[in-house]
Amino acid sequence: MSTNAISTVNIADRETAYPIPSAPKPRIYQRAMAPFPNLALNAMTASPPPGFDVNNQTFNLVDVDGVTLWPTSTDDINTVKNLAVQTAIIFATQLGASAMLLCVLLLMTTSTKRRSSAFIFNVLALVCNVIRCTIQCVEMVGPFMDFVLVVMQIYDVAGIHEAVAQSVTCSVMTTLVFIFLQAALIFQVKVVVMTAGRVQRVAILSFCCVISLLAIAFRLNLLVINCKNTTNLKALSTEAADAQNWAQSVSNICQIVAICTFSLIFVAKLALAIRARRQMGLKQFGAMQIIFIMGCQTLFVPVIFAILDYYAMRGAQLGSFVETLVAIFLPLSSMWASTDVKSRRVAMPANNP
């Protein structure tokens, strides 16, 4: 928070004389108040009057015109602080998982498989997701989480232009992650329907492409709206806020519908193949069952987080886990399946001397 913003806060009744407490403050309290010597001195030499709730104080912020007052409270400060901490934890978790899987994927994938479309799309999605999560974590300590900016919507603060550039870049990275995931999901469906008839294969792939293009179109619309509202550096009107919320909701719904549709086709085709193998007496757990399990995870787990985003931790972007989970599950399934195949090849000579 800028120095000018802090000076505008009116703290009520600083000069009231209260009895000095007899017992000194604990050492840990003194260390916590060390960055604020004046506040620490006042807090250590005064006690609140009877009936005063120290955890629920109200005060006013003075606008730049020096007249307009913005009433706020300590609860508002805690709300902004908790929102920043929760959002930073969410994206830091995604950052660590995406970066770890990206390193493992690059190290363990053979040179022949690195030329495949699935590998390229998965790597691009993970790279863009790492960039997206890193920028989101940085934004949590930037001007957009400044308490005065959040309450008064005053954007004339230091570092605001860098924060705008970070926000626009993050929106672009989120859209790129979504596009790469759509391409990877379509490629996944294409692989499982290769054994189907030509008419059935063309119909399924055409249907998937239409859904994917529709979801990408709404995502691009959301990208334009987000970038426009971010670069304006003005408080959103009611109409603009409603339009942005509508675009966000429609984009989220289309994203979930696309992911569920592709995963459902993939899982259904694998289930039929596993059933046919069991009828032929091939009941051993193998790569096909592994991919089926991961396909079910891709079908259900992102939907759970998308639903929780509307009911739990509102504003903390819990729904951002949807892209990260899909970006992780897709390459993880192929890595698990290929590892199982390799282990069976190694064990085969020992079982058949």
Side-chain angles (χ1 to χ4, degrees), residues 270-310:
L270 283 176
L272 293 175
I274 293 174
R275 181 183 178 184
R277 288 171 61 87
R278 290 178 65 88
Q279 291 176 351
M280 293 186 297
L282 302 175
K283 300 181 180 181
Q284 190 175 11
F285 184 86
M288 190 172 294
Q289 286 79 3
I290 292 174
I291 298 177
F292 177 81
I293 293 172
M294 297 302 296
C296 291
Q297 290 184 357
T298 307
L299 176 61
F300 294 109
V301 178
V303 177
I304 295 174
F305 278 92
I307 295 175
L308 288 177
D309 188 38
Y310 288 92

Side-chain angles (χ1 to χ4, degrees), residues 31-347:
R31 289 200 301 267
M33 300 302 296
F36 314 101
N38 296 330
L39 186 60
L41 178 62
N42 182 277
M44 295 175 65
T45 58
S47 297
F52 177 71
D53 188 2
V54 69
N55 295 318
N56 188 17
Q57 303 184 53
T58 58
F59 55 93
N60 294 324
L61 297 178
V62 183
D63 208 336
V64 291
D65 58 7
V67 178
T68 305
L69 299 179
W70 292 77
T72 185
S73 65
T74 53
D75 288 339
D76 296 334
I77 298 177
N78 292 332
T79 299
V80 175
K81 178 196 67 176
N82 293 338
L83 179 63
V85 172
Q86 291 171 0
T87 306
I89 292 174
I90 288 174
F91 281 100
T93 304
Q94 300 178 55
L95 172 61
S98 300
M100 181 180 65
L101 184 61
L102 178 62
C103 295
V104 173
L105 184 63
L106 292 175
L107 292 175
M108 296 189 62
T109 305
T110 60
S111 58
T112 56
K113 292 184 178 181
R114 291 183 180 180
R115 301 176 183 177
S116 64
S117 300
F119 175 82
I120 295 174
F121 290 139
N122 291 332
V123 169
L124 290 176
L126 288 172
V127 169
C128 293
N129 197 53
V130 168
I131 298 174
R132 174 183 75 117
C133 296
T134 302
I135 296 176
Q136 284 282 8
C137 293
V138 173
E139 283 186 335
M140 292 303 102
V141 293
F144 281 129
M145 295 307 297
D146 189 297
F147 178 72
V148 174
L149 187 149
V150 172
V151 174
M152 303 173 60
Q153 299 293 302
I154 297 177
Y155 294 93
D156 187 15
V157 296
I160 190 63
H161 297 292
E162 292 79 3
V164 169
Q166 293 173 359
S167 181
V168 172
T169 304
C170 185
S171 298
V172 173
M173 289 295 109
T174 303
T175 304
L176 290 178
V177 171
F178 179 78
I179 293 174
F180 291 139
L181 291 179
Q182 293 296 308
L185 288 169
I186 292 178
F187 180 81
Q188 187 182 60
V189 173
K190 179 183 176 181
V191 171
V192 297
V193 300
M194 288 298 293
T195 57
R198 184 175 184 276
V199 176
Q200 184 181 7
R201 183 172 65 254
V202 172
I204 293 176
L205 291 178
S206 300
F207 176 71
C208 292
C209 289
V210 170
I211 293 180
S212 180
L213 290 176
L214 185 63
I216 291 175
F218 279 108
R219 174 64 69 172
L220 292 175
N221 175 61
L222 177 62
L223 172 64
V224 173
I225 294 176
N226 283 338
C227 294
K228 180 180 178 180
N229 292 337
T230 302
T231 55
N232 280 340
L233 291 179
K234 295 180 181 178
L236 293 180
S237 61
T238 304
E239 294 78 9
D242 292 340
Q244 183 172 359
N245 292 333
W246 180 86
Q248 181 72 59
S249 297
V250 173
S251 177
N252 292 341
I253 293 173
C254 291
Q255 179 186 26
I256 292 300
V257 169
I259 293 174
C260 290
T261 301
F262 300 154
S263 300
L264 185 60
I265 295 173
F266 183 75
V267 169
K269 188 65 176 178
L270 283 176
L272 293 175
I274 293 174
R275 181 183 178 184
R277 288 171 61 87
R278 290 178 65 88
Q279 291 176 351
M280 293 186 297
L282 302 175
K283 300 181 180 181
Q284 190 175 11
F285 184 86
M288 190 172 294
Q289 286 79 3
I290 292 174
I291 298 177
F292 177 81
I293 293 172
M294 297 302 296
C296 291
Q297 290 184 357
T298 307
L299 176 61
F300 294 109
V301 178
V303 177
I304 295 174
F305 278 92
I307 295 175
L308 288 177
D309 188 38
Y310 288 92
Y311 298 100
M313 299 173 64
R314 295 295 301 273
Q317 302 190 39
L318 193 62
S320 62
F321 270 107
V322 173
E323 293 92 346
T324 300
L325 290 173
V326 177
I328 289 175
F329 286 160
L330 290 180
L332 189 61
S333 60
S334 60
M335 292 173 59
W336 185 11
S338 61
T339 302
D340 181 77
V341 172
K342 291 179 181 178
S343 62
R344 292 181 184 278
R345 289 177 179 176
V346 172

